Amino acid sequence: MKRYLVVVALGALTLGGCANSDIYSGNTYSGNQAKTARNVTYGTVTGVRPVTIQAGNENDSGLGGIGGAVLGGLLGNQFGGGSGRVLTTAVGGIGGAVAGSKVEDRANQVSAYEIQVRTDSGQDLVVVQKADTPYQPGQRVRLIGSGNSMSIAPE
């Protein structure tokens, strides 16, 4: 039984690291953005604020809750006897599901910047993207794309 617990734990941890946070990077393009013309405007960074992106349904696999329930149930099954064992298994499963979901939520968070830019035409824009390239107020940048598909890159 303990051997299965180790195998399940390793499997859950391995799959938990599979969330792809690069989709929030200004340096990563999706397949449908490749080989398409995109608008480019220029501007100056007027403010930068660190924020967190909480990935939504696109990265929510449910494996955290399921894996936590299995691990908690297996752990709870190690204690008690008879109806007490059933109770500790159920409590372990519920507690594990809650803890596993919280771990998955935390794993799906991405450090990001909220970058405020004044374009050369005088428009103020804010773009949130992964914090993989540092930006400073006064820095010249390119705004690539438009609407809900815009990223910022150094000029």
Side-chain angles (χ1 to χ4, degrees), residues 129-155:
Q129 67 187 36
K130 184 176 177 180
D132 55 357
T133 302
Y135 293 95
Q136 301 295 324
Q139 181 179 356
R140 294 285 297 164
V141 292
R142 295 180 298 143
L143 293 99
I144 305 161
S146 63
N148 64 354
S149 180
M150 180 177 281
S151 63
I152 295 178
E155 186 175 281

Side-chain angles (χ1 to χ4, degrees), residues 12-93:
L13 291 173
T14 300
L15 290 173
C18 291
N20 181 8
S21 67
D22 284 343
I23 61 173
Y24 304 113
S25 173
N27 298 320
T28 302
Y29 289 92
S30 66
N32 65 351
Q33 292 173 321
K35 296 184 77 171
T36 60
R38 303 190 53 142
N39 294 329
V40 177
T41 56
Y42 295 88
T44 304
V45 174
T46 57
V48 179
R49 182 172 75 99
V51 296
T52 301
I53 299 171
Q54 178 64 54
N57 293 335
E58 67 271 9
N59 284 338
D60 187 9
S61 65
L63 289 176
I66 293 168
V70 170
L71 289 175
L74 288 172
L75 185 61
N77 194 45
Q78 303 299 312
F79 300 98
S83 62
R85 177 172 280 179
V86 171
L87 181 62
T88 58
T89 301
V91 169

Side-chain angles (χ1 to χ4, degrees), residues 2 10 16 83 97 104:
K2 290 182 182 182
L10 288 174
S83 62
E104 184 174 19

